[in-house]
Amino acid sequence: MIYFDNAATTMIKPECVIKSNSYALENLCANSGRGSHSAAVKAASIVYNARKAVQNLVGGDDVIFGLNCTDALNTVIFGTARRGHVVTTVYEHNSVLRPLYELSRRGLIRFTAVAPDAHGVIDPAEIERAIRPDTYMIIVNNASNVTGAVAPITQIGGIAKKHGLLYLVDGAQTVGYVDIDMKQSNIDYLCFSPHKGLHGVQGVGCLCMRAGAPLSPFKFGGTGTASNTMAQPDDVPEGFECGTLPVHSIYSLITAINYYEKMPLGQKRNLAECGNALRSGLSEIKGVKLYGKYSLLPNVVCFNLDSMPAAAVGDILNEQYDVAVRCGLHCAPLCHKYLGTTETGAVRASLSYHNTMSEVEFFLKAINEIAK
């Protein structure tokens, strides 16, 4: 199989990540923070070291581990909710839009979704214009999971700081592909899943926070702390990590970060070259409509074939060419409304560090044949 669905999850993992995950499953899966025996202490040490690795990677102060990026985003959105207004964008994933919609349905908040400019890029000036007297938060995804459009998160962070607003960034599509410095970009909360750009394993999500950023518990249960009371503790991070943590996934996260930080520059250039070749090649095929023009992640390419539903293209690629892509609405309804693809959906081909130019060439040949 040629796997071009890496924006959903990377299927091919580095050998070192696979080995570390297997090793942890066999040897290290005690319950962190739930005992004083040597195995529990070892598990707690792993979790501590993983927090430090994530902090060093993105420049955050505190790290909370959850189920995935969606879980982390929900934790922030519900854990900071108050009566007022939120500014976001039409590029957001449903992991942001649905919590906001639910809060608005309850009558607690209102939100404004800013549309991109004529170039398909979020204009910081439009974000600032959307701010109201009761606005308390700005939420922006670092890159659209549909088109790959990259938002100017540092400029938007400056606006958030200027107006004294909380600032949440969804880094699901960028961490591992784009360097992020939370302090430089004035980010209060950054959420991501290691199983995407970092080529880690599934089962853990990361919520990185600025020290002192407000957050109230969103989930309730055992934390290993303050066990003498039924009240949920709000200490960071333990008060937000209810239940058993996936120690094996967290252990392999350390390896994934080390792998990324030591990755040869040539491997990163190869990803960009493959992505650029894919977009360029598709632009030359008659009947292909590409989405997104400027400031794009090179490894995310979104398109359609004239008069052909995206699902049909995906089925042909899967059944006749053994190529995996993502087709449909990509859990981003406002983005598809903006693109005009609500009825047809769109085809997304997304690459990782393990894809090759020969795979890109095969894919382009397949699309050319389907188009004819």
Side-chain angles (χ1 to χ4, degrees), residues 302-359:
C302 186
F303 68 97
N304 267 322
L305 287 177
D306 285 345
S307 304
M308 195 169 188
V313 177
D315 288 343
I316 295 172
L317 285 169
N318 179 51
E319 294 167 7
Q320 298 184 24
Y321 296 92
D322 198 23
V323 174
V325 294
R326 173 71 186 274
C327 298
L329 299 183
H330 310 280
C331 301
L334 296 185
C335 182
H336 283 282
K337 182 178 180 181
Y338 161 75
L339 295 174
T341 56
T342 301
E343 297 300 323
T344 61
V347 182
R348 183 187 68 194
S350 51
L351 312 183
S352 79
Y353 292 117
H354 294 93
N355 290 120
T356 64
M357 193 64 75
S358 62
E359 291 177 326

Coordinates of all heavy atoms in Angstrom, one line a residue, residues 302-359:
C302 N -4.9 19.1 -1.0 CA -6.4 18.9 -1.1 C -6.8 19.2 -2.5 O -6.5 20.2 -3.0 CB -7.1 19.7 0.0 SG -8.8 19.4 0.1
F303 N -7.7 18.3 -3.1 CA -8.1 18.5 -4.4 C -9.4 17.8 -4.7 O -9.8 17.0 -3.9 CB -7.0 18.1 -5.4 CG -6.8 16.6 -5.4 CD1 -7.3 15.8 -6.4 CD2 -5.9 16.0 -4.5 CE1 -7.1 14.4 -6.4 CE2 -5.7 14.6 -4.5 CZ -6.3 13.8 -5.5
N304 N -9.9 18.0 -5.9 CA -11.1 17.3 -6.4 C -10.9 17.1 -7.9 O -10.1 17.8 -8.5 CB -12.4 18.0 -6.2 CG -13.1 17.6 -4.9 OD1 -13.0 16.4 -4.5 ND2 -13.7 18.5 -4.2
L305 N -11.6 16.1 -8.4 CA -11.6 15.9 -9.9 C -13.0 16.4 -10.4 O -14.0 16.1 -9.7 CB -11.5 14.4 -10.2 CG -10.1 13.8 -10.1 CD1 -10.1 12.3 -10.4 CD2 -9.1 14.6 -11.0
D306 N -13.0 17.1 -11.5 CA -14.3 17.6 -12.0 C -15.4 16.6 -12.1 O -15.1 15.5 -12.6 CB -14.0 18.2 -13.4 CG -13.3 19.6 -13.3 OD1 -13.2 20.1 -12.2 OD2 -12.8 20.0 -14.4
S307 N -16.5 16.9 -11.6 CA -17.8 16.1 -11.7 C -17.6 14.7 -11.1 O -18.3 13.8 -11.6 CB -18.2 16.0 -13.2 OG -18.3 17.3 -13.8
M308 N -16.7 14.6 -10.2 CA -16.5 13.2 -9.6 C -16.5 13.4 -8.1 O -15.7 14.1 -7.5 CB -15.2 12.6 -10.1 CG -15.1 11.2 -9.8 SD -13.7 10.5 -10.7 CE -13.9 8.7 -10.4
P309 N -17.4 12.7 -7.3 CA -17.4 12.8 -5.9 C -16.0 12.3 -5.3 O -15.4 11.4 -5.8 CB -18.5 11.8 -5.5 CG -19.4 11.7 -6.7 CD -18.5 11.8 -7.9
A310 N -15.6 13.0 -4.3 CA -14.3 12.6 -3.7 C -14.3 11.2 -3.2 O -13.3 10.5 -3.4 CB -14.1 13.6 -2.5
A311 N -15.4 10.7 -2.7 CA -15.5 9.3 -2.2 C -15.2 8.3 -3.4 O -14.6 7.3 -3.2 CB -16.8 9.0 -1.6
A312 N -15.7 8.6 -4.6 CA -15.5 7.7 -5.7 C -14.0 7.7 -6.1 O -13.5 6.6 -6.4 CB -16.3 8.2 -6.9
V313 N -13.3 8.9 -6.0 CA -11.9 8.9 -6.3 C -11.1 8.1 -5.3 O -10.2 7.3 -5.6 CB -11.4 10.4 -6.3 CG1 -9.9 10.4 -6.5 CG2 -12.1 11.2 -7.3
G314 N -11.5 8.2 -4.0 CA -10.8 7.4 -3.0 C -11.0 6.0 -3.1 O -10.1 5.2 -2.9
D315 N -12.3 5.6 -3.5 CA -12.5 4.1 -3.7 C -11.7 3.5 -4.8 O -11.2 2.4 -4.7 CB -14.0 3.9 -4.0 CG -14.9 4.1 -2.8 OD1 -14.3 4.1 -1.7 OD2 -16.1 4.3 -2.9
I316 N -11.6 4.3 -5.9 CA -10.8 3.8 -7.1 C -9.3 3.7 -6.7 O -8.6 2.7 -7.0 CB -11.0 4.7 -8.3 CG1 -12.4 4.7 -8.8 CG2 -10.0 4.3 -9.4 CD1 -12.7 5.7 -9.9
L317 N -8.8 4.7 -6.0 CA -7.4 4.7 -5.6 C -7.2 3.5 -4.7 O -6.1 2.8 -4.8 CB -7.1 6.0 -4.8 CG -6.9 7.2 -5.7 CD1 -6.8 8.5 -4.8 CD2 -5.6 7.1 -6.5
N318 N -8.1 3.2 -3.8 CA -7.9 2.1 -2.9 C -8.0 0.7 -3.6 O -7.2 -0.1 -3.4 CB -9.0 2.2 -1.7 CG -8.9 1.0 -0.8 OD1 -7.8 0.7 -0.2 ND2 -10.0 0.4 -0.5
E319 N -9.1 0.6 -4.4 CA -9.4 -0.8 -5.0 C -8.5 -1.1 -6.2 O -8.1 -2.3 -6.4 CB -10.8 -0.8 -5.3 CG -11.8 -0.7 -4.1 CD -13.2 -0.4 -4.5 OE1 -13.5 -0.4 -5.8 OE2 -14.0 -0.2 -3.6
Q320 N -8.1 -0.1 -7.0 CA -7.4 -0.4 -8.2 C -5.9 -0.1 -8.1 O -5.1 -0.6 -8.9 CB -8.0 0.4 -9.3 CG -9.5 0.0 -9.6 CD -10.1 0.7 -10.8 OE1 -9.3 1.2 -11.7 NE2 -11.4 0.9 -10.9
Y321 N -5.5 0.8 -7.2 CA -4.1 1.2 -7.1 C -3.5 0.9 -5.7 O -2.3 1.2 -5.6 CB -4.0 2.7 -7.4 CG -4.4 3.1 -8.8 CD1 -5.8 3.5 -9.1 CD2 -3.5 3.0 -9.9 CE1 -6.2 3.8 -10.4 CE2 -3.9 3.4 -11.2 CZ -5.2 3.7 -11.4 OH -5.6 4.1 -12.7
D322 N -4.3 0.5 -4.7 CA -3.8 0.3 -3.4 C -3.1 1.5 -2.8 O -2.0 1.5 -2.2 CB -2.8 -0.9 -3.4 CG -2.6 -1.5 -2.0 OD1 -3.5 -1.3 -1.1 OD2 -1.6 -2.1 -1.7
V323 N -3.8 2.6 -2.9 CA -3.4 3.9 -2.4 C -4.4 4.4 -1.4 O -5.6 4.4 -1.7 CB -3.2 5.0 -3.5 CG1 -2.9 6.3 -2.9 CG2 -2.1 4.6 -4.5
A324 N -3.9 4.8 -0.2 CA -4.8 5.3 0.9 C -4.8 6.8 0.9 O -3.7 7.4 1.1 CB -4.4 4.7 2.2
V325 N -5.9 7.4 0.8 CA -6.1 8.9 1.0 C -7.3 9.1 1.8 O -8.0 8.2 2.1 CB -6.3 9.6 -0.4 CG1 -5.0 9.5 -1.2 CG2 -7.5 9.1 -1.2
R326 N -7.5 10.3 2.2 CA -8.8 10.7 3.0 C -9.7 11.4 2.1 O -9.3 12.4 1.4 CB -8.4 11.5 4.2 CG -9.6 12.1 5.0 CD -10.3 11.0 5.8 NE -11.5 11.6 6.4 CZ -11.6 12.2 7.5 NH1 -10.5 12.4 8.2 NH2 -12.7 12.6 8.0
C327 N -11.0 11.0 2.1 CA -12.0 11.6 1.2 C -13.2 12.0 2.1 O -13.5 11.2 3.1 CB -12.4 10.7 0.1 SG -11.1 10.3 -1.0
G328 N -13.9 13.0 1.8 CA -15.1 13.4 2.5 C -15.0 14.8 3.0 O -14.4 15.7 2.4
L329 N -15.6 15.1 4.2 CA -15.6 16.4 4.8 C -14.6 16.6 5.9 O -14.6 17.7 6.5 CB -17.0 16.7 5.3 CG -18.2 16.6 4.3 CD1 -19.5 16.9 4.9 CD2 -17.9 17.5 3.1
H330 N -13.8 15.7 6.2 CA -12.6 15.9 7.1 C -12.9 16.5 8.4 O -12.1 17.2 9.0 CB -11.5 16.7 6.3 CG -11.2 16.2 5.0 ND1 -10.4 15.2 4.7 CD2 -11.7 16.6 3.7 CE1 -10.3 15.0 3.4 NE2 -11.1 15.8 2.8
C331 N -14.1 16.3 8.9 CA -14.5 16.8 10.2 C -14.3 18.3 10.4 O -14.0 18.8 11.4 CB -13.7 16.1 11.4 SG -14.0 14.3 11.4
A332 N -14.5 19.0 9.3 CA -14.3 20.5 9.3 C -15.4 21.2 8.4 O -15.2 21.6 7.3 CB -12.9 20.8 8.7
P333 N -16.6 21.2 8.9 CA -17.8 21.6 8.1 C -17.7 23.1 7.6 O -18.1 23.4 6.5 CB -19.0 21.4 9.1 CG -18.4 21.5 10.4 CD -17.1 20.8 10.3
L334 N -17.2 24.0 8.5 CA -17.1 25.4 8.0 C -16.1 25.6 6.9 O -16.3 26.4 6.0 CB -16.8 26.3 9.2 CG -17.9 26.4 10.3 CD1 -17.5 27.4 11.4 CD2 -19.2 26.7 9.7
C335 N -15.0 24.8 7.0 CA -14.0 24.9 6.0 C -14.6 24.4 4.6 O -14.4 25.0 3.6 CB -12.8 24.0 6.3 SG -11.4 24.1 5.1
H336 N -15.3 23.3 4.6 CA -15.9 22.8 3.4 C -17.0 23.8 2.8 O -17.1 23.9 1.6 CB -16.4 21.4 3.6 CG -15.3 20.4 3.6 ND1 -14.7 19.9 2.5 CD2 -14.7 19.8 4.7 CE1 -13.8 19.0 2.8 NE2 -13.8 18.9 4.1
K337 N -17.7 24.4 3.7 CA -18.7 25.4 3.3 C -17.9 26.6 2.6 O -18.4 27.0 1.5 CB -19.5 25.9 4.5 CG -20.5 26.9 4.1 CD -21.3 27.3 5.3 CE -22.4 28.4 5.0 NZ -23.2 28.8 6.2
Y338 N -16.8 27.0 3.2 CA -16.0 28.1 2.6 C -15.4 27.6 1.2 O -15.4 28.4 0.3 CB -14.9 28.4 3.5 CG -13.7 29.2 2.9 CD1 -13.8 30.5 2.6 CD2 -12.5 28.5 2.7 CE1 -12.8 31.2 2.0 CE2 -11.4 29.2 2.1 CZ -11.6 30.5 1.8 OH -10.5 31.2 1.2
L339 N -15.0 26.4 1.1 CA -14.4 25.9 -0.2 C -15.5 25.6 -1.2 O -15.2 25.4 -2.4 CB -13.6 24.6 0.1 CG -12.3 24.8 1.0 CD1 -11.7 23.4 1.2 CD2 -11.3 25.7 0.3
G340 N -16.8 25.4 -0.7 CA -17.8 25.0 -1.7 C -17.8 23.5 -2.0 O -18.3 23.1 -3.0
T341 N -17.3 22.7 -1.0 CA -17.2 21.3 -1.2 C -18.1 20.5 -0.2 O -17.8 19.3 0.0 CB -15.8 20.8 -1.0 OG1 -15.3 21.3 0.2 CG2 -14.9 21.4 -2.1
T342 N -19.1 21.1 0.3 CA -20.0 20.5 1.3 C -20.7 19.3 0.7 O -20.9 18.2 1.3 CB -21.0 21.4 1.9 OG1 -20.3 22.5 2.5 CG2 -21.9 20.8 2.9
E343 N -21.1 19.4 -0.6 CA -21.8 18.3 -1.3 C -20.8 17.2 -1.8 O -21.2 16.0 -1.7 CB -22.6 18.8 -2.4 CG -23.7 19.8 -2.0 CD -24.7 19.2 -1.0 OE1 -25.0 18.0 -1.2 OE2 -25.2 19.9 -0.1
T344 N -19.7 17.6 -2.3 CA -18.8 16.6 -2.9 C -17.7 16.1 -2.0 O -17.2 15.0 -2.2 CB -18.1 17.3 -4.1 OG1 -17.3 18.4 -3.6 CG2 -19.1 17.8 -5.2
G345 N -17.4 16.8 -0.9 CA -16.3 16.5 -0.1 C -15.0 16.8 -0.9 O -15.0 17.5 -1.9
A346 N -13.9 16.4 -0.4 CA -12.6 16.6 -1.1 C -11.6 15.5 -0.8 O -11.8 14.7 0.1 CB -12.0 17.9 -0.6
V347 N -10.7 15.3 -1.7 CA -9.6 14.3 -1.6 C -8.4 15.0 -0.9 O -8.0 16.0 -1.4 CB -9.2 13.7 -2.9 CG1 -8.2 12.6 -2.8 CG2 -10.5 13.2 -3.7
R348 N -7.9 14.3 0.1 CA -6.7 14.9 0.8 C -5.6 13.8 0.7 O -5.8 12.7 1.2 CB -7.0 15.2 2.3 CG -5.8 15.8 3.0 CD -6.0 16.0 4.5 NE -6.2 14.7 5.1 CZ -6.7 14.5 6.4 NH1 -7.1 15.6 7.0 NH2 -6.7 13.3 6.9
A349 N -4.5 14.2 0.1 CA -3.3 13.3 0.1 C -2.3 14.0 1.1 O -1.9 15.1 0.9 CB -2.7 13.2 -1.3
S350 N -1.9 13.3 2.1 CA -1.0 13.8 3.1 C 0.2 12.9 3.3 O 0.0 11.7 3.5 CB -1.7 14.1 4.4 OG -2.4 12.9 4.8
L351 N 1.4 13.5 3.3 CA 2.6 12.7 3.3 C 3.3 12.8 4.7 O 2.9 13.6 5.5 CB 3.6 13.3 2.2 CG 3.1 13.5 0.8 CD1 4.2 14.0 -0.1 CD2 2.4 12.3 0.3
S352 N 4.2 11.9 4.9 CA 5.0 11.9 6.1 C 6.5 11.8 5.7 O 6.8 11.7 4.5 CB 4.6 10.7 7.0 OG 5.2 9.5 6.6
Y353 N 7.4 11.7 6.7 CA 8.8 11.6 6.4 C 9.2 10.3 5.7 O 10.3 10.2 5.2 CB 9.6 11.8 7.7 CG 9.5 13.1 8.3 CD1 8.9 13.3 9.5 CD2 10.0 14.2 7.6 CE1 8.8 14.6 10.1 CE2 9.9 15.5 8.2 CZ 9.4 15.7 9.4 OH 9.3 16.9 10.0
H354 N 8.3 9.3 5.7 CA 8.6 8.0 5.1 C 8.1 7.8 3.7 O 8.4 6.8 3.1 CB 8.1 6.9 6.0 CG 8.7 6.9 7.4 ND1 8.2 7.5 8.4 CD2 9.8 6.3 7.8 CE1 9.0 7.3 9.5 NE2 10.0 6.6 9.1
N355 N 7.4 8.8 3.1 CA 7.0 8.7 1.7 C 8.1 9.1 0.8 O 9.1 9.8 1.2 CB 5.8 9.6 1.5 CG 4.5 9.1 2.2 OD1 3.9 9.8 3.0 ND2 4.1 7.9 1.8
T356 N 8.1 8.6 -0.4 CA 9.1 8.7 -1.4 C 8.7 9.4 -2.7 O 7.4 9.4 -3.0 CB 9.7 7.4 -1.8 OG1 8.7 6.6 -2.4 CG2 10.2 6.6 -0.5
M357 N 9.6 9.9 -3.5 CA 9.3 10.5 -4.7 C 8.7 9.5 -5.7 O 7.8 9.8 -6.5 CB 10.5 11.1 -5.4 CG 10.2 12.1 -6.5 SD 9.2 13.5 -6.0 CE 10.5 14.5 -5.2
S358 N 9.1 8.2 -5.6 CA 8.5 7.2 -6.5 C 7.0 7.0 -6.2 O 6.2 6.7 -7.1 CB 9.3 5.9 -6.4 OG 9.2 5.4 -5.1
E359 N 6.7 7.1 -4.9 CA 5.3 7.0 -4.5 C 4.4 8.1 -5.1 O 3.3 8.0 -5.5 CB 5.1 6.9 -3.0 CG 5.6 5.6 -2.4 CD 5.6 5.6 -0.9 OE1 5.7 6.6 -0.3 OE2 5.3 4.5 -0.4

